[in-house]
Amino acid sequence: MVTAADPGEIRTSVWLVARPATPARRRTEAPSGLDRERITAATARLLDADGLTRFSMRRLAAGLGVTAMSLYWYVDTKHDLLELALDRVLGEQSLPAGPYGSGGPYGSGRASGSGGAGWQDGLRDLARGYRRVLADHPWVAPLSAAYPNIGPHARAFDAALQRLMDATGLVDVARTGAHLAVRQFLHGCGGAARRAPEGDFCLALDVLIAGIETKAETKAETKAETEPRDKAETEAKAKADKDKADA
């Protein structure tokens, strides 16, 4: 079973290590018909079929019709292969691309002639899609906790979430808090992806979105109230400074 960290082990992500090119002589010795993409796809299938606890390089090699040592021509460790499989299945999700409307009240992103769907719909699509990935591949949740999860598909997911957070209109600490709440919600639903009814999940998601909307509206109202006062104070100070200079 893969854990977040084995005692005394320092693990480096496969995405942070440049794999050196295989010398020409060694390439001719590598088993034919294999490549990293094929091995990664077979890993995902084996994890789907047997689960994380039963996964081994020996079982993977047997399914591919090669020896276990043959796999190490393409990956350095089993952990590298699990990271590759994790990012591969994350790529199954279609990500909302935007643009998101910002013409609703208080900049809430509710579509109002703004030329795009509201961020709320985008966040619902993102969350439901991620939930489907977790339900289809139960091993994704524990691997996401065990590894940095910084592959290209994971980064694309994060970028989509960042765009949604930008569309809420929240800034600084409020935006950070909203982003953290969404991340915790998405990862927290992983353990219950198969057990919780879809209706319960969607209700919880709507409550989360309503909270972000309320925070965005409160921030916008506060800004609308304070901006005229701040402007008047600035103008008054400027006039006082000018009168003093002219005296």
Side-chain angles (χ1 to χ4, degrees):
M1 176 69 178
V2 175
T3 56
D6 296 328
E9 179 183 3
I10 299 177
R11 187 183 300 162
T12 301
S13 171
V14 68
W15 303 110
L16 299 177
V17 177
R19 187 172 175 82
T22 306
R25 182 185 62 80
R26 295 189 63 195
R27 283 200 300 268
T28 62
E29 299 170 3
S32 61
L34 281 185
D35 55 41
R36 181 181 274 197
E37 179 64 21
R38 183 185 172 198
I39 295 171
T40 302
T43 298
R45 291 193 299 271
L46 183 59
L47 288 166
D48 286 341
D50 294 346
L52 189 55
T53 56
R54 297 188 63 197
F55 177 82
S56 70
M57 298 295 269
R58 187 181 301 276
R59 291 174 64 86
L60 175 63
L64 289 168
V66 299
T67 65
M69 290 306 297
S70 300
L71 303 177
Y72 293 102
W73 288 93
Y74 305 96
V75 292
D76 291 331
T77 69
K78 179 178 75 172
H79 294 299
D80 289 354
L81 195 50
L82 292 174
E83 274 197 272
L84 292 169
L86 171 62
D87 197 70
R88 177 187 174 86
V89 298
L90 290 177
E92 295 175 1
Q93 180 177 355
S94 297
L95 300 176
Y100 306 106
S102 58
Y106 313 114
S108 65
R110 298 185 184 92
S112 178
S114 55
W119 61 264
Q120 296 92 335
D121 290 337
L123 184 53
R124 288 186 182 96
D125 290 343
L126 187 75
R128 290 168 181 165
Y130 187 67
R131 174 182 163 85
R132 282 192 293 272
V133 170
L134 294 176
D136 292 344
H137 311 286
W139 48 273
V140 166
L143 287 189
S144 294
Y147 298 119
N149 202 11
I150 53 176
H153 292 121
R155 294 197 304 272
F157 181 94
D158 288 339
L161 180 55
Q162 293 289 356
R163 290 192 295 271
L164 287 164
M165 292 295 98
D166 288 342
T168 65
L170 292 173
V171 296
D172 301 329
V173 176
R175 185 190 186 283
T176 300
H179 182 263
L180 178 61
V182 173
R183 296 289 305 189
Q184 292 293 337
F185 176 81
L186 293 176
H187 291 303
C189 77
R194 287 191 179 277
R195 296 189 297 272
E198 181 73 13
D200 291 351
F201 173 82
C202 292
L203 176 60
L205 179 58
D206 284 342
V207 170
L208 174 63
I209 290 173
I212 297 175
E213 286 179 323
T214 299
K215 192 69 174 178
E217 290 170 1
T218 301
K219 285 286 185 182
E221 288 174 343
T222 302
K223 182 178 180 181
E225 292 171 357
T226 59
E227 275 188 344
R229 183 175 67 246
D230 294 343
K231 182 179 179 181
E233 290 175 353
T234 301
E235 291 175 348
K237 185 178 183 302
K239 185 177 183 302
D241 291 343
K242 183 177 184 301
D243 291 344
K244 183 178 179 181
D246 292 343

